[in-house]
Amino acid sequence: MDHYTFPRELRLLTPKNFQKVFSKPVRASTPEITLLAITNEQEHPRLGLTVAKKQVKLACRRNRIKRIMRESFRQHQHELPAVDIVAICKKDLQHMDNEAIHKLVRKLWRKLGRRCNG
């Protein structure tokens, strides 16, 4: 049975982990979000989020975006290969409603999964 949780081991926590992803990533992007991924040595995917204050000024909006991204990752983690993913959110994302963000991110998970497996 699959467990749909988001424990500490499914997160990118250190700057070293983020730098590794930025070195030679596989990309999946839209004008609002860019996902960068690189294969890892674990048996599961890991997620790191960046929502820059320069892009999204209000903390409540940054937190809402991160909360939606984490929830979407939690629900789709079993469909993803063993990769480290960094999600870079851009300015236009803050004006989208929650359902539109969920739909956009679902599409990006599928696109990233195909690119990393194929």
Side-chain angles (χ1 to χ4, degrees):
M1 180 171 166
D2 294 333
H3 296 284
Y4 293 95
T5 60
F6 191 58
R8 195 168 173 84
E9 58 265 8
L10 293 181
R11 303 175 195 171
L12 294 179
L13 299 171
T14 65
K16 184 179 176 185
N17 290 337
F18 278 82
Q19 281 306 120
K20 188 176 177 185
V21 175
F22 290 130
S23 63
K24 287 189 177 181
V26 173
R27 294 175 186 268
S29 64
T30 66
E32 298 86 9
I33 302 174
T34 299
L35 296 182
L36 306 174
I38 191 166
T39 57
N40 65 25
E41 297 81 35
Q42 328 286 281
E43 297 177 4
H44 51 77
R46 298 189 301 175
L47 177 67
L49 296 168
T50 59
V51 184
K53 192 186 285 190
K54 185 175 182 179
Q55 299 292 326
V56 182
K57 301 277 188 235
L58 298 178
C60 60
R61 290 184 180 167
R62 289 193 304 273
N63 292 337
R64 177 180 71 95
I65 291 167
K66 289 188 279 188
R67 192 169 44 249
I68 292 168
M69 295 287 294
R70 283 192 300 264
E71 179 65 14
S72 180
F73 177 79
R74 186 185 69 79
Q75 293 172 348
H76 295 92
Q77 65 186 337
H78 300 289
E79 301 164 13
L80 296 168
V83 292
D84 288 345
I85 302 166
V86 173
I88 303 169
C89 302
K90 300 180 185 138
K91 188 175 278 192
D92 295 337
L93 193 61
Q94 67 182 318
H95 303 297
M96 296 174 73
D97 66 355
N98 293 0
E99 186 54 41
I101 296 173
H102 270 289
K103 188 176 179 180
L104 179 69
V105 175
R106 262 194 311 268
K107 185 176 97 175
L108 285 172
W109 295 140
R110 284 193 302 272
K111 184 189 273 188
L112 190 66
R114 284 192 309 268
R115 289 186 178 175
C116 289
N117 285 333

